[in-house]
Amino acid sequence: MRRPLLGRLPEAWRQPLAVVGGVLAVAWLVVALAAPVLAPHDPLAQELPRLAAPGPGHWFGTDQLGRDILSRVMYGARVSIPLTLLLVALSVLIGGLLGACAGYFGRWVDETIMRVADLVFAFPTVILAMVVAAALGASLANAVLAVLVVAWPAYARVTRGLVLGVREREFVLSGRLLGFSVWRSLRVDVLPNVTGPVLVLATLDIGTALLLLSGLSFLGLGAKPPSPEWGAMVASGVEVFDSWWVATFPGLAILTVVLAFNFLGDTLRDALDPRTARAIKERAL
């Protein structure tokens, strides 16, 4: 008999937190893709009673303009989640490339890139993101750019440290002696050995990026009305604090996505670490 799907997964991915994180992440991705089909109302339509409490016909209630909050939360997933994933992917690409160059070439390349990274690290992350977003102008695209400015140095520093530990290994030196170009050596010999830790950091950083992006929108430096973005929806709920549902449900959406990717990041770290994976397997036996 074939084992159930869950039984065929590695032991690290069968832990309760891994299952919860996977289910939440998949559920939100489905909502983001199928929001036009799943949403019961137009997220911009002002056709319902204002500030109606959750109930039949509007399960998450309505806001101060008579818009269905459930529909807006679903459509908000189409804004917040793709932008967050794009933001993390760009941070990995830019920071990883710069960090690999710094670690591999060393000397003035390393000094230049790391000093720029240190300059970014010298400022509190949220404050610097606010300053950049305010300087560029309040919009969702500028908010993404502002978070990107403060996010890439972490990947550059981690990648640099990993490359420094790999570049003097025998297989890398042998490839260079065989005539491999610098870029081929980075792509073939170095990249596979640094991908795992960077991927773990990226998965854990999805929640942080979402919080930063939502925070900028909450402060009026990101998405603008009537865009159904979660941070902006929480900000609109502050104006009508007695109607708790206006801010609670988009806030819960942010919370569940952050928890999901934090759980997945922890599980991925355990799965890629041989000692941790072995300990989990022994404990399960």
Side-chain angles (χ1 to χ4, degrees), residues 23-235:
V23 169
L24 286 174
V26 170
W28 275 117
L29 290 175
V30 170
V31 169
L33 292 172
V37 177
L38 298 176
H41 299 278
D42 184 338
L44 303 180
Q46 303 175 21
E47 57 188 12
L48 297 173
R50 298 183 178 182
L51 296 177
H58 37 79
W59 295 105
F60 284 6
T62 63
D63 62 10
Q64 54 269 52
L65 297 178
R67 297 172 296 191
D68 181 61
I69 293 178
L70 174 59
S71 301
R72 290 179 62 77
V73 168
M74 288 182 172
Y75 272 86
R78 296 172 65 87
V79 177
S80 298
I81 294 178
L83 285 179
T84 301
L85 295 177
L86 175 63
L87 172 60
V88 173
L90 290 175
S91 300
V92 171
L93 180 62
I94 296 172
L97 181 60
L98 292 176
C101 292
Y104 195 86
F105 294 109
R107 298 184 180 180
W108 66 269
V109 177
D110 185 19
E111 285 294 321
T112 302
I113 294 175
M114 287 300 101
R115 295 299 76 77
V116 174
D118 289 341
L119 180 63
V120 176
F121 279 127
F123 298 92
T125 301
V126 177
I127 301 299
L128 181 59
M130 291 171 56
V131 170
V132 175
L136 295 175
S139 72
L140 197 54
N142 290 339
V144 171
L145 183 59
V147 179
L148 178 61
V149 168
V150 302
W152 71 266
Y155 297 96
R157 187 177 290 276
V158 169
T159 306
R160 172 185 177 270
L162 293 170
V163 172
L164 285 175
V166 172
R167 71 176 185 178
E168 301 300 332
R169 300 280 295 274
E170 290 80 1
F171 60 90
V172 177
L173 296 176
S174 298
R176 296 305 305 276
L177 290 174
L178 290 173
F180 288 179
S181 67
V182 171
W183 298 112
R184 188 179 189 280
S185 180
L186 280 171
R187 186 180 70 254
V188 176
D189 295 329
V190 176
L191 181 61
N193 291 279
V194 304
T195 300
V198 173
L199 184 59
V200 171
L201 177 62
T203 307
L204 291 170
D205 207 31
I206 290 175
T208 304
L210 177 60
L211 286 174
L212 275 174
L213 198 58
S214 300
L216 291 178
S217 295
F218 178 84
L219 296 172
L221 298 173
K224 290 296 184 181
S227 175
E229 197 275 337
W230 291 339
M233 292 174 65
V234 174

Side-chain angles (χ1 to χ4, degrees), residues 12 17 200 203-204 260-271 276:
L17 291 182
V200 171
T203 307
L204 291 170
F261 284 100
N262 281 348
F263 291 162
L264 290 178
D266 287 337
T267 304
L268 186 61
R269 179 196 58 201
D270 294 340
T276 306

